[in-house]
Amino acid sequence: MPADRPTPQQATPQLATERVDHRFKALPPDAEGLTVGELAAQRRNLFTGGFTTPVLALSAESLEHNLRLLEAYAEHHGLAFAPHGKTSMAPQLFDRQLEHGAWGITAAVPHQARVYRAHGIARIFLANELVDAPALRWLAAELDADPDFRFICYVDSVRGVELMDAALTEARAARPVDVVVELGAGEGARTGARTEADCAAVADAVAATRTLRLVGVAGYEGEVPKADVERVHAWLRRLTSLAAEFDKAGRFSAEVGEIVVSAGGSAWFDAVADVFAEIPELSLPVLKLLRSGAYVSHDDGHYRKLTPFNRVPEEGALEPAFRLWTQVVSRPSAEQAFTNGGKRDAAHDLDLPEAQVVRDARTGAVRPAAGITVTGLSDQHGWLRTEPGAEIEVGDWLGMGLSHPCTSFDKWQLIPLVEADGTVVDYIRTFF
């Protein structure tokens, strides 16, 4: 890595030198002017340390549990792991994922890749076709400047290959860009070449360039229409068969060193593990690359229902790591209350938040949020339905579980990392 390019170990501590100010929601007003590192060193309590509401908290214990679980899962199934960084866009968490065995980090768009490189990420898998000429010029410069930088991206069309080749040729790229042909998940699904013949045409177009190098195949099983166990397994077998056919046809040169076969969102990685275990011996070693990202924080809604660990409970269980703490600001009737956390603070694109616990403003005691339901969100208010006997009053803090990790991270630039007793031990910086 060039001397002017920080390693992850060098780049992440720089985040601690950023000053705390009005840009960051919920941080204590009396902390203004401190660096993030200085504030973290104070180990303030989330409830008594001057934080304002609403405030999003990330559980330190659940985060560590989830990191360890996916590391063990990947090792057990012989998978490499490039978690999708779009979930958190948090370099501190990328570092933790790499420490827990990740091969690299997955991106979706050029901006994300630039964030990764600014923080020293040495291996990036971009799960999209990259046809933006300015981004390709940037990529060519990064590859040429750093012989240790590994980058792989999708190709799914002959036109896309033509655009990539033209931009990289104009940029006078010295190193070819490694690409994998994306097999679409079916008619009406998202991106990807729809048939094996289409994939072969894309591979032929890659072979005709000097700027691109075919290294494997990939796709996303989460887009399989009417996905169930049988349909997902069937599509994954098409993907692995495509890799074997490409290899048999001599499409992978020996100089690539390994054949990349990649899939795996957060809903079907057990199916990926099953089918990837069936890949026959090919002419080169196979890098079986899983890309699940939502596991890092998990959630209390969408992914709680979809996680593969529901199907394989013997392999463990992820823990929801987010809790949004809001404060009751109005109790206009026995059936209704309002908190100060709304759409600007809580993920709501998949499910509404879930009322979980109440922290009593008078005593500090925490109790279950019995009889309390979130029924809607305004920009800055949460609408609560309260059943007879529900204990909640103005000033109480309501802890909510959230659905969809990506959107939760997206709404907060600096997130307290909190231990079970409320001690804030760090702050997670995001770059959306």
Side-chain angles (χ1 to χ4, degrees):
M1 184 170 286
D4 61 350
R5 171 69 63 189
T7 65
Q9 292 74 23
Q10 294 168 333
T12 303
Q14 295 174 11
L15 300 175
T17 66
E18 193 164 13
R19 294 287 173 183
V20 173
D21 58 27
H22 60 275
R23 293 171 297 159
F24 304 120
K25 296 191 291 187
L27 297 192
D30 66 355
E32 178 129 1
L34 295 176
T35 67
V36 173
E38 289 167 344
L39 179 57
Q42 292 182 356
R43 296 176 63 85
R44 296 195 185 196
N45 186 278
L46 186 72
F47 307 107
T48 61
F51 292 84
T52 63
T53 54
V55 56
L56 182 66
L58 182 64
S59 164
E61 293 86 356
S62 294
L63 172 66
E64 179 65 19
H65 169 85
N66 294 342
L67 290 167
R68 290 183 181 276
L69 181 60
L70 258 290
E71 178 184 24
Y73 185 89
E75 286 183 358
H76 176 68
H77 292 280
L79 301 170
F81 191 30
H84 212 314
K86 72 172 174 64
T87 297
S88 71
M89 287 305 295
Q92 292 152 284
L93 298 186
F94 300 163
D95 289 355
R96 297 283 299 277
Q97 289 170 313
L98 293 167
E99 290 166 2
H100 283 278
W103 171 92
I105 305 294
T106 295
V109 293
H111 159 71
Q112 294 167 358
R114 290 185 62 204
V115 171
Y116 300 1
R117 288 300 286 163
H119 290 89
I121 302 302
R123 290 174 176 163
I124 298 173
F125 185 102
L126 196 144
N128 239 334
E129 188 167 66
L130 182 59
V131 295
D132 185 325
L136 287 161
R137 289 195 294 269
W138 169 82
L139 174 61
E142 287 290 304
L143 288 168
D144 292 351
D146 184 358
D148 294 324
F149 175 34
R150 181 84 193 274
F151 179 89
I152 303 170
C153 75
Y154 283 178
V155 286
D156 83 340
S157 65
V158 172
R159 175 59 174 159
V161 170
E162 292 170 350
L163 290 169
M164 294 181 74
D165 183 45
L168 292 167
T169 299
E170 184 179 358
R172 298 182 179 180
R175 287 177 62 189
V177 172
D178 286 348
V179 296
V180 289
V181 173
E182 182 192 6
L183 174 67
E187 286 302 321
R190 205 163 63 187
T191 55
R194 289 295 189 255
T195 69
E196 283 75 1
D198 292 338
C199 290
V202 175
D204 288 340
V206 170
T209 74
R210 69 159 192 84
T211 59
L212 304 176
R213 185 173 73 161
L214 184 66
V215 298
V217 299
Y220 176 48
E221 75 292 337
E223 282 292 316
V224 169
K226 299 179 181 178
D228 59 22
V229 172
E230 290 75 20
R231 288 186 177 94
V232 170
H233 277 75
W235 178 83
L236 286 164
R237 291 193 175 99
R238 284 182 61 200
L239 181 69
T240 56
S241 295
L242 182 66
E245 288 301 313
F246 275 13
D247 187 47
K248 183 178 179 181
R251 293 187 180 277
F252 303 119
S253 66
E255 67 179 14
V256 304
E258 62 187 3
I259 297 168
V260 179
V261 183
S262 179
S266 296
W268 292 102
F269 56 74
D270 58 331
V272 174
D274 290 344
V275 176
F276 279 16
E278 302 170 356
I279 295 176
E281 184 175 347
L282 303 181
S283 64
L284 294 168
V286 178
L287 180 70
K288 303 173 183 179
L289 196 60
L290 185 68
R291 305 192 308 271
S292 312
Y295 81 97
V296 71
S297 67
H298 197 45
D299 75 0
D300 279 296
H302 184 71
Y303 287 105
R304 178 178 63 189
K305 300 168 190 170
L306 293 183
T307 177
F309 287 113
N310 291 338
R311 293 186 291 272
V312 287
E314 68 278 6
E315 297 213 45
L318 293 168
E319 297 178 359
F322 272 137
R323 178 165 282 169
L324 179 66
W325 287 97
T326 65
Q327 197 165 24
V328 178
V329 294
S330 181
R331 186 81 157 98
S333 72
E335 297 80 28
Q336 199 171 37
F338 293 86
T339 73
N340 61 355
K343 293 178 181 178
R344 301 297 177 91
D345 313 298
H348 59 92
D349 51 324
L350 295 177
D351 298 291
L352 286 171
E354 175 186 273
Q356 294 181 329
V357 294
V358 175
R359 187 176 189 277
D360 193 291
R362 299 178 188 274
T363 67
V366 176
R367 59 180 178 270
I372 301 170
T373 305
V374 180
T375 60
L377 298 175
S378 301
D379 278 355
Q380 302 292 178
H381 289 92
W383 294 59
L384 307 181
R385 182 178 68 246
T386 54
E387 298 174 5
E391 295 183 69
I392 192 164
E393 64 176 349
V394 171
D396 288 346
W397 285 36
L398 179 66
M400 300 178 177
L402 302 175
S403 182
H404 200 182
C406 305
T407 313
S408 299
F409 278 106
D410 185 271
K411 292 179 178 295
W412 293 82
Q413 294 184 60
L414 204 59
I415 303 170
L417 183 66
V418 186
E419 292 183 339
D421 65 358
T423 302
V424 179
V425 294
D426 204 355
Y427 296 84
I428 304 300
R429 184 72 159 95
T430 65
F431 291 86
F432 285 95

